Amino acid sequence: MSLCRADKFLLASAAVTAGSAAVFGPGALSVGVPFGVHALLMADGIFRPDSAILYPTLVRGRTDQPQVALTFDDGPDPEITPAVLDMLAQHDARATFFVIGRNLEKHRALGEHIHREGHELGNHSWQHSYLLNFSSAAGHGVEMDRCSQLIKSVTQSDREPLYRPPVGLKSPAMARAAHQRNLNVVAWSIHSRDTFARDPRAVANGVVRRIRPGDIVLMHDGHDRDNQHRPLILEALPLLLQGLRERGLKSVTVSELSSETQSAKPAPNGATLAADDARS
């Protein structure tokens, strides 16, 4: 089995530290400097969502077309998601919904509705646990597989869904699990800050002001906590979609945005899906 990027990084760091100690002696500088650099790079790989140090991570898509990808995390939520779908339909926009498995299990019909509308269902783990990054590769694998199997059942497809780790955190264990499954990991180039803001107009304007072709935008139609909701998106999304239209930008799925070809084929439900799978 080939090594994942995280293990290659760990081996390279160990080799550099050992080599420095061998050449300069086991002193504080010869060992401490390489170890310090390793620690900084490791922290970057874990905590910066768009870092590719530990695993190849898709942050932006193709820039040669006036297209962007709107993504929604933590759903589906029966109080929020249906209205989001209506707004997207009104603007002829497609999006990618990174669903929490346990939410999809409770609201499977809503997941089927998302798929019928031509949107993409992505894997956002089963529990969305903030402690998942402390888990083993096997633990990550259970979370990935359980959500993936449910998405495949909903979409009636064998295609492996795109994966977005909870909070965008990565770890060597996550990298090993993703590598074993050949997952495409997706982050974002623009965070809408819709989970922190209180002004929907500021959220929409903040995205529209920064957005460029190829950008992947993070938003939320659901919540990782039971019986809680994120309604701000219902006011921000119409403004954002209108802003995209005024700038001549169209929202497509992440797989469409990252596809190597713009040729498309009709899906059974009448939507268009990219001919090739997205590869990170």
Side-chain angles (χ1 to χ4, degrees):
M1 181 182 296
S2 62
L3 293 175
C4 70
R5 182 174 292 186
D7 286 330
K8 292 177 181 178
F9 166 71
L10 292 172
L11 287 173
S13 294
V16 169
T17 302
S20 178
V23 172
F24 300 106
L29 286 178
S30 62
V31 175
V33 171
F35 181 80
V37 172
H38 163 79
L40 289 173
L41 291 174
M42 177 64 79
D44 179 82
I46 292 173
F47 295 109
R48 185 163 62 88
D50 58 350
S51 174
I53 289 175
L54 299 181
Y55 195 83
T57 302
L58 180 66
V59 179
R60 303 184 81 250
R62 295 168 57 96
T63 60
D64 59 347
Q65 298 289 328
Q67 297 177 340
V68 297
L70 301 183
T71 69
F72 298 88
D73 282 13
D74 298 350
D77 179 344
E79 294 195 15
I80 306 296
T81 307
V84 168
L85 293 173
D86 288 343
M87 295 172 196
L88 292 171
Q90 291 167 10
H91 286 78
D92 189 28
R94 289 186 298 279
T96 300
F97 290 79
F98 285 95
V99 297
I100 298 175
R102 58 185 169 84
N103 286 345
L104 181 60
E105 183 180 51
K106 288 186 291 187
H107 309 295
R108 181 187 175 109
L110 188 47
E112 292 170 349
H113 184 192
I114 292 171
H115 178 62
R116 284 197 306 272
E117 292 288 310
H119 306 295
E120 182 170 26
L121 287 172
N123 184 342
H124 200 36
S125 81
W126 184 263
Q127 293 286 348
H128 196 285
S129 170
Y130 288 89
L131 299 178
L132 181 59
N133 228 37
F134 297 99
S135 182
S136 64
H140 280 277
V142 169
E143 287 278 310
M144 293 169 175
D145 291 343
R146 192 174 179 188
C147 187
S148 173
Q149 289 163 10
L150 181 55
I151 291 173
K152 290 178 181 179
S153 175
V154 167
T155 62
Q156 296 294 295
S157 171
D158 292 331
R159 180 179 178 227
E160 194 65 42
L162 303 175
Y163 183 67
R164 176 174 282 169
V167 202
L169 297 178
K170 296 185 282 285
S171 69
M174 188 233 78
R176 293 180 193 112
H179 181 73
Q180 291 168 3
R181 291 158 178 78
N182 196 30
L183 297 186
N184 292 306
V185 172
V186 179
W188 54 88
S189 54
I190 296 179
H191 194 316
S192 69
R193 305 298 174 190
D194 59 344
T195 57
F196 309 109
R198 295 185 178 181
D199 182 355
R201 186 171 296 277
V203 168
N205 290 343
V207 172
V208 172
R209 184 175 63 251
R210 292 177 287 161
I211 202 164
R212 299 290 185 273
D215 275 326
I216 298 174
V217 182
L218 171 64
M219 296 179 287
H220 297 80
D221 68 318
H223 206 294
D224 56 287
R225 296 179 181 176
D226 292 337
N227 302 317
Q228 294 197 34
H229 312 279
R230 287 178 168 138
L232 182 138
I233 195 64
L234 299 182
E235 296 182 65
L237 184 57
L239 301 172
L240 195 161
L241 289 168
Q242 182 60 35
L244 293 184
R245 176 172 290 181
E246 292 171 356
R247 297 195 60 175
L249 295 173
K250 182 177 179 59
S251 176
V252 297
T253 68
V254 171
S255 287
E256 288 176 298
L257 187 69
S258 59
S259 176
E260 300 254 338
T261 174
Q262 288 296 316
S263 63
K265 58 184 178 182
N269 59 9
T272 57
L273 299 179
D276 294 342
D277 291 347
R279 310 301 296 176
S280 56

